Amino acid sequence: MEVDEMEATSIPFQLQFDKPIASQIKIAEWNPEKDLLAMVTEDSKILLHRFNWQRLWTVSPGRCITSLCWRPDGKAIAVGLEDGTISLHDVENGKLLRSIKSHSVAVVCLNWEEDGQPPEDDGENILNYEDRTSRFFPAAPRVPRMPGLSATDAGFMDDAEDSFRELSNSLHQRLNILCSGDKDGSICFSIFGIFPIGKINVHKFPLQNPLVGTKTMYRLLKASICKISLSKDLRQLIVLSYGEHIEDMTNLKDNSKDKQASISLHSLLLNTSIFRNRKNELHQMAQQSSNIEDLIEVVRVSLSLMHKQWADAMRTFHEKFDPLSSLIIDHGLDSTSQEEFLSLLSGARTSPPIHQFLVNSLGEAGLKRVSKAIDSAAKELLLIVRDHLQPAAEIIAFRSGELKGLSRWRARYHSIGLDEKLVNNAMEKAGMLLVQVERFLRVLAGVAYQFQNFFAWLSKCIKLLMSEPSDQLQPFNCELIVVFLKFLYNQDPVRQLLENAELNHSINIDQDTMQRVEELVKFGGFSDTEYLQRTLTKEFEEMEDSFKLAFLMPFTTISKKIYCEDLWPLFPLPSSPTLSSFNVPTSVSFYQDVVLDPFTHISQKIQDYVCFKIPEDSVSDLPSTVGIVRGFAHDYACKNEGHTFSEAALLHIPAGFQCVDLSLYKESQVVLLLNETTATSESPGKAWLMIVEASTLPFVSVPRVSETSMWWFHDLMNFAVELNMERGKIRSIPHSVTAPLAVSTSRGLACVFASRRRALVYILEEDEDEVSEME
C-alpha cells in the first residue's frame, strides 16, 4: 500500500504483556464480552487468563483439543475434541457443564452465533409464548449427588448444576446456535449449544449454479472443513473447506471427459434461513425439549443411584443371612432357611442351626448392622424419589403436554418437524412413568416395613436365646413375618423394579388385573395395556426412546432444509496435499456494512468478508499474496436475476516478509501477522503486527465463470495493493513469531504467540481512557 493511502497519524500497537508459557499455544480466542483470553496448549490444556494476565483456571480434558469458541454472551466456552465430542465449560471455574457427541471424527472448527436482530426489526408477527412451568412447579430438581456415583456419569461435573441451569435457561436468551465442523466435512447445529437441530455434509451437496447455466452441477468431494461463520441474522453460513471440486456438464453422468476436477480451498454458501424464518418456533421447541432432556438425565442418574444403594444394602443382608443355609447342610437337615425361621416362629424347639446362626453367626450387633443398612437404603431411595425422580417425572409430563399443544399448531410447527403423533406418544410414556413411580413408592414402603418387622422379631428371638430382657423391643406382626418368609426372603421386588432393562425382566400380573386395565383403556386417556408388566427402569427407557424419536423428527426436518446455494473455488492447492493436515491462514466473518443494491440504493446490510493467504507453491505468479473477498453471501435471488455482488481485492506482501497468520477484525479490518524472511544466524529477524482497512481497498467485481481452471485472481493481478511496512497501524516485534493470532472484538486487542513459548499481548491505543480502564 502506498504511503499516501495510509493514515499519516496512525497510532502504533503497544506491547502490554510478554509472558512465558509452559507449552506452545496452538489455539487462542478472546471472550466477546469480557477481557478474558482462552488458550489451548500443544499438550491440550485450556488456560483462561484475564487481561492483566491473572490465570483463572486450567482444565485438561484428557483428549486432544482441536477447536475452541466462546458463547456469544461470554459465559461459556465450547471445546471441540479429537474424538468428535464437544464439551461446554463454565467461564467462572472451568467446570464441565455438558458433553455432546455430535461428530465421529475431530471437530476442527466451531462458531457460536446469536440472533443479532431485535424482534421489532423482524418485520414479522412475533409469536408470544410463555413458559408456564414455573407457575405450577418449583425449580427443576438437580441431578442427585450421593456416594457411589461418579460425577461424570451424567455428563456433568460436581457443583456445576447451578451454572448449567443458568446457561440453559432460555427465557432470558435470544436464539443462539452453535455450529461445528469436522475434518470429514460434516457440520452440526445445536440450539443453545445443547439441543441438536441439524446435520449436513458439504460433500454430499450437489449444487446447481444459475450463473453458468441450468445444466451445470457441482459437487465437493473429500471435503475437510477449516472455517465456518454463521451470519448474525442466522440466514446464511459460509464454509471454507479444502476438497476436490467436480464440475460435470452432463448432470453428473459417468463420463470422465465432461468432468473437471480441482483440489482447492472453496467457499460454500449454505442457506440456513430456516433458523431465521422459524426462530420463534425453534426457540420454544428447543426450550421445552432441552429442559426435558435435562430432566431425563436427572431420572437416569436417580435410577442408577437408587439401584446401587439398594443393591449394596441387599448385599449386606445376604452376606449375613446366607450362611444359615450352610449351617443347615452341615447339621444334616433337609430344610430351608425359611422353614427353619417358620418353625421358630411357630414355637417349636429351636434347631441347632438356627441357634448357632442367631447367637454366634449373626448376633445382636450383626442384626443391627443389617437392619440399619436396609433402613438407610430405604430412606435414601425415598429421598431420591421425593426430591429428584418424582418432580423430574412430573415436569417432564407437563412439558411434554406443552409440546403437544405446540405440535397441534401445524401451520407453524409442522414445518420444523414437531410431529403431533410422536409427541403424543412421548407424553403418554411420561404419564406411565409417573404411574410407575407411584407404584414403586408403594412397593418400597411395603418391603421396608416387612424387613423392619422381620428384624424386630429376630431381635427378640436373639434376646430370648441369650436370656436377656426384651421388653424394650418394638412389637412385630407374626402374620407379616410369614408373608415375608414366603415371598420376600429370596425375592426382591424393589430391585426388580430398578433392574437394568437389558435383562428383559417382566412382572407377572394376574388375569383379573389385566382385564380391569383393558376396561380402563376403553374410557380413553391412554392406550398402553402392558405398563404394569414393565419395571420402572424399562418404563423410563421406553419414555426416553419415545422422546428421542420425537426430537429426531425436527432434527431430520431441519437438516433437509439446509442446502448449498453457491460454491466458489478460491485458490488451488498444491498437487496431492493431505487435506487433513493442510492449513493456510484464513478468516471469515460478517459485518454491518454499507452496500449498493441492484437498483443503486445505499443501505445497511450484513456484509460477508473472506480473507486468506494464497499459498506460494500453488500459484507461482502470485508470491506472498493475501486475498479478500466480500459479497459472496449476498441475496441469492439477485444472483438468479443475473446480478453478482462478489468483489475481491489482493494484498501483495513485500519481498522479505511472510504472512504467518491473519484475522478479520471489527469494522471490516484485517489484522496481519508477518515474519521477516531475511533472518540469519546473526540476526534472527523481526515480526510485524499491522491492521489494514479492508473497506478502503480497491475492490473489483469478480466475474463468476464455469471453468475452474480460470482462477478469478488472475484478473486482479494488475489491481493488487502493495503493503507499505513503514506507515500505518503497525508494530515491530523483535523476534519471529508463530500462529495463532487472536484479536479481540470488544477491546481493540491483538494477541500473538511467539515460537519461544512466550505469549505477547499487544494493544492498539485508540482511546487512552479505555486502555486505562482495562489496566
Side-chain angles (χ1 to χ4, degrees):
M1 185 173 293
E2 300 298 333
V3 174
D4 57 0
E5 295 181 65
M6 299 297 297
E7 299 178 66
T9 59
S10 296
I11 303 173
F13 294 95
Q14 296 297 327
L15 178 63
Q16 187 73 20
F17 292 108
D18 181 357
K19 298 292 184 180
I21 298 292
S23 181
Q24 182 71 20
I25 302 299
K26 66 177 183 179
I27 305 173
E29 293 288 344
W30 286 99
N31 188 302
E33 295 292 330
K34 304 175 183 178
D35 290 324
L36 299 175
L37 175 65
M39 300 172 289
V40 177
T41 59
E42 288 288 354
D43 55 355
S44 285
K45 291 181 180 179
I46 310 172
L47 316 177
L48 188 70
H49 284 265
R50 293 189 187 276
F51 181 70
N52 61 6
W53 209 251
Q54 174 192 0
R55 182 177 297 185
L56 295 182
W57 45 260
T58 301
V59 172
S60 180
R63 288 162 288 177
C64 180
I65 300 174
T66 51
S67 55
L68 188 78
C69 83
W70 287 94
R71 177 176 155 141
D73 62 7
K75 293 183 178 180
I77 191 167
V79 180
L81 303 177
E82 191 176 32
D83 64 353
T85 301
I86 300 174
S87 60
L88 306 183
H89 294 263
D90 186 2
V91 66
E92 296 296 332
N93 49 30
K95 293 292 186 181
L96 179 66
L97 302 176
R98 173 68 68 88
S99 287
I100 54 177
K101 188 68 179 295
S102 301
H103 301 266
S104 57
V105 294
V107 181
V108 295
C109 58
L110 293 164
N111 176 234
W112 206 336
E113 192 60 61
E114 183 178 67
D115 176 27
Q117 289 184 311
E120 58 269 20
D121 293 343
D122 289 347
E124 302 174 356
N125 294 324
I126 303 303
L127 178 63
N128 293 320
Y129 176 81
E130 177 190 3
D131 183 8
R132 301 180 298 171
T133 311
S134 58
R135 288 189 186 182
F136 307 102
F137 299 95
R142 300 179 176 183
V143 174
R145 293 287 177 233
M146 294 184 183
L149 182 69
S150 170
T152 58
D153 284 353
F156 294 91
M157 292 292 287
D158 290 328
D159 304 322
E161 292 88 354
D162 291 335
S163 300
F164 181 76
R165 197 183 310 279
E166 179 183 353
L167 292 173
S168 62
N169 183 6
S170 56
L171 289 174
H172 307 291
Q173 298 181 38
R174 289 182 179 179
L175 182 70
N176 62 75
I177 297 177
L178 176 63
C179 310
S180 55
D182 64 33
K183 68 177 184 178
D184 283 351
S186 294
I187 301 176
C188 296
F189 304 88
S190 58
I191 299 178
F192 311 130
I194 57 177
F195 182 66
I197 199 60
K199 184 175 183 178
I200 60 160
N201 196 300
V202 297
H203 68 255
K204 293 182 180 179
F205 277 119
L207 167 68
Q208 185 166 346
N209 191 332
L211 299 180
V212 292
T214 58
K215 293 184 178 181
T216 301
M217 301 293 288
Y218 293 91
R219 187 181 293 274
L220 191 63
L221 306 177
K222 303 176 183 177
S224 178
I225 298 172
C226 64
K227 290 284 172 59
I228 54 178
S229 182
L230 186 65
S231 63
K232 299 183 186 304
D233 61 2
L234 309 182
R235 293 182 184 278
Q236 296 167 314
L237 179 76
I238 289 183
V239 181
L240 298 185
S241 177
Y242 302 110
E244 184 178 359
H245 171 220
I246 296 292
E247 179 184 348
D248 190 347
M249 305 299 293
T250 57
N251 289 327
L252 297 179
K253 291 180 181 179
D254 189 14
N255 189 345
S256 59
K257 69 177 182 179
D258 292 327
K259 295 182 179 180
Q260 298 178 13
S262 174
I263 300 178
S264 52
L265 176 69
H266 300 84
S267 179
L268 289 90
L269 177 60
L270 270 57
N271 186 314
T272 58
S273 58
I274 182 67
F275 296 144
R276 183 66 186 178
N277 298 337
R278 288 287 179 253
K279 71 170 188 175
N280 294 304
E281 292 85 345
L282 288 171
H283 189 284
Q284 294 153 19
M285 182 186 66
Q287 176 180 305
Q288 299 292 352
S289 303
S290 60
N291 277 277
I292 287 174
E293 289 185 336
D294 296 340
L295 293 168
I296 286 176
E297 200 65 43
V298 173
V299 175
R300 176 186 291 105
V301 177
S302 298
L303 292 175
S304 176
L305 180 56
M306 290 162 60
H307 180 270
K308 185 180 186 307
Q309 294 286 343
W310 187 254
D312 290 345
M314 294 306 297
R315 188 179 301 110
T316 302
F317 172 79
H318 288 292
E319 286 175 353
K320 289 295 184 181
F321 280 80
D322 286 353
L324 176 58
S325 299
S326 300
L327 290 175
I328 292 173
I329 295 174
D330 292 343
H331 284 82
L333 299 180
D334 187 16
S335 60
T336 64
S337 299
Q338 295 96 311
E339 291 171 345
E340 291 295 325
F341 280 127
L342 287 171
S343 177
L344 177 63
L345 178 65
S346 64
R349 183 177 178 180
T350 306
S351 65
I354 284 289
H355 188 282
Q356 182 178 345
F357 172 72
L358 294 178
V359 176
N360 300 328
S361 299
L362 182 62
E364 188 175 359
L367 182 61
K368 287 182 178 180
R369 283 195 295 271
V370 177
S371 177
K372 183 179 180 180
I374 298 292
D375 186 61
S376 297
K379 290 180 178 178
E380 289 176 358
L381 264 62
L382 179 62
L383 187 65
I384 294 174
V385 172
R386 297 291 187 188
D387 293 348
H388 303 278
L389 177 59
Q390 191 172 41
E394 290 173 349
I395 299 177
I396 288 174
F398 181 83
R399 287 193 176 275
S400 62
E402 296 283 274
L403 271 180
K404 180 182 177 181
L406 296 177
S407 68
R408 299 186 71 175
W409 196 348
R410 293 179 58 84
R412 300 194 70 108
Y413 290 89
H414 184 72
S415 61
I416 62 172
L418 197 59
D419 185 87
E420 181 181 357
K421 183 178 179 180
L422 293 176
V423 173
N424 185 64
N425 180 60
M427 186 182 70
E428 180 173 310
K429 295 299 183 183
M432 293 295 101
L433 178 66
L434 272 175
V435 173
Q436 294 286 39
V437 170
E438 293 291 342
R439 173 195 196 181
F440 176 81
L441 284 174
R442 293 194 298 270
V443 172
L444 175 63
V447 170
Y449 180 74
Q450 292 273 34
F451 270 106
Q452 186 181 27
N453 184 70
F454 177 67
F455 292 148
W457 170 66
L458 280 187
S459 181
K460 186 170 185 177
C461 291
I462 292 174
K463 291 284 188 182
L464 292 174
L465 291 175
M466 300 182 67
S467 301
E468 295 181 359
S470 58
D471 297 337
Q472 302 301 320
L473 297 177
Q474 62 182 11
F476 56 88
N477 187 314
C478 294
E479 293 181 1
L480 290 181
I481 293 174
V482 175
V483 174
F484 176 84
L485 291 172
K486 285 187 175 182
F487 301 104
L488 296 180
Y489 186 85
N490 282 334
Q491 299 180 31
D492 187 354
V494 174
R495 183 169 184 174
Q496 184 183 37
L497 287 174
L498 296 174
E499 200 66 73
N500 191 330
E502 294 180 357
L503 300 178
N504 200 26
H505 286 313
S506 60
I507 299 173
N508 294 324
I509 304 297
D510 61 88
Q511 189 63 34
D512 291 340
T513 302
M514 288 299 302
Q515 185 176 354
R516 288 197 298 271
V517 170
E518 292 173 358
E519 291 174 355
L520 286 173
V521 170
K522 298 177 182 179
F523 289 94
F526 64 94
S527 58
D528 192 348
T529 61
E530 299 180 355
Y531 69 93
L532 291 177
Q533 299 176 353
R534 293 193 290 268
T535 67
L536 177 60
T537 303
K538 181 64 175 178
E539 194 69 64
F540 163 71
E541 292 194 356
E542 289 204 359
M543 182 198 73
E544 183 182 24
D545 290 341
S546 67
F547 275 111
K548 285 181 178 178
L549 287 175
F551 297 156
L552 181 61
M553 185 63 70
F555 180 90
T556 304
T557 302
I558 299 298
S559 298
K560 292 179 179 179
K561 294 188 176 184
I562 300 172
Y563 57 92
C564 187
E565 286 188 336
D566 206 352
L567 181 149
W568 191 3
L570 296 178
F571 59 79
L573 299 183
S575 57
S576 303
T578 303
L579 295 182
S580 59
S581 61
F582 190 83
N583 186 34
V584 295
T586 57
S587 184
V588 56
S589 188
F590 289 85
Y591 303 103
Q592 287 287 347
D593 202 355
V594 177
V595 296
L596 200 63
D597 66 16
F599 307 100
T600 69
H601 294 299
I602 297 177
S603 61
Q604 286 280 349
K605 290 187 178 181
I606 296 177
Q607 178 82 295
D608 61 283
Y609 281 80
V610 179
C611 187
F612 47 88
K613 167 69 169 63
I614 300 177
E616 298 180 15
D617 51 356
S618 63
V619 185
S620 58
D621 53 352
L622 281 177
S624 228
T625 302
V626 172
I628 303 173
V629 176
R630 70 181 182 187
F632 176 60
H634 266 303
D635 189 1
Y636 194 63
C638 295
K639 295 181 180 179
N640 288 329
E641 297 171 3
H643 303 287
T644 174
F645 292 101
S646 300
E647 298 177 312
L650 296 179
L651 296 176
H652 180 60
I653 300 171
F657 295 91
Q658 178 187 15
C659 180
V660 177
D661 204 357
L662 52 82
S663 178
L664 285 164
Y665 182 46
K666 62 181 180 180
E667 299 174 358
S668 65
Q669 297 172 327
V670 181
V671 182
L672 298 175
L673 181 61
L674 310 174
N675 268 342
E676 287 187 356
T677 58
T678 56
T680 62
S681 57
E682 294 79 12
S683 176
K686 294 181 179 180
W688 301 84
L689 186 63
M690 67 183 305
I691 284 184
V692 176
E693 298 286 348
S695 58
T696 63
L697 295 174
F699 280 88
V700 178
S701 296
V702 180
R704 305 293 297 280
V705 294
S706 61
E707 294 84 1
T708 57
S709 58
M710 297 293 295
W711 295 99
W712 58 272
F713 45 74
H714 289 295
D715 297 331
L716 271 67
M717 293 177 60
N718 295 330
F719 299 95
V721 176
E722 188 80 16
L723 289 178
N724 190 301
M725 306 300 296
E726 298 178 356
R727 300 292 298 275
K729 297 175 181 179
I730 185 167
R731 178 71 180 184
S732 65
I733 303 171
H735 51 77
S736 60
V737 295
T738 58
L741 163 70
V743 296
S744 168
T745 58
S746 60
R747 288 292 194 178
L749 306 178
C751 186
V752 183
F753 299 95
S755 58
R756 51 179 186 160
R757 290 187 181 178
R758 298 191 67 84
L760 286 79
V761 179
Y762 281 84
I763 180 172
L764 178 63
E765 296 183 348
E766 296 177 335
D767 189 332
E768 294 182 359
D769 295 333
E770 185 180 87
V771 175
S772 300
E773 179 184 344
M774 287 186 291
E775 294 178 350

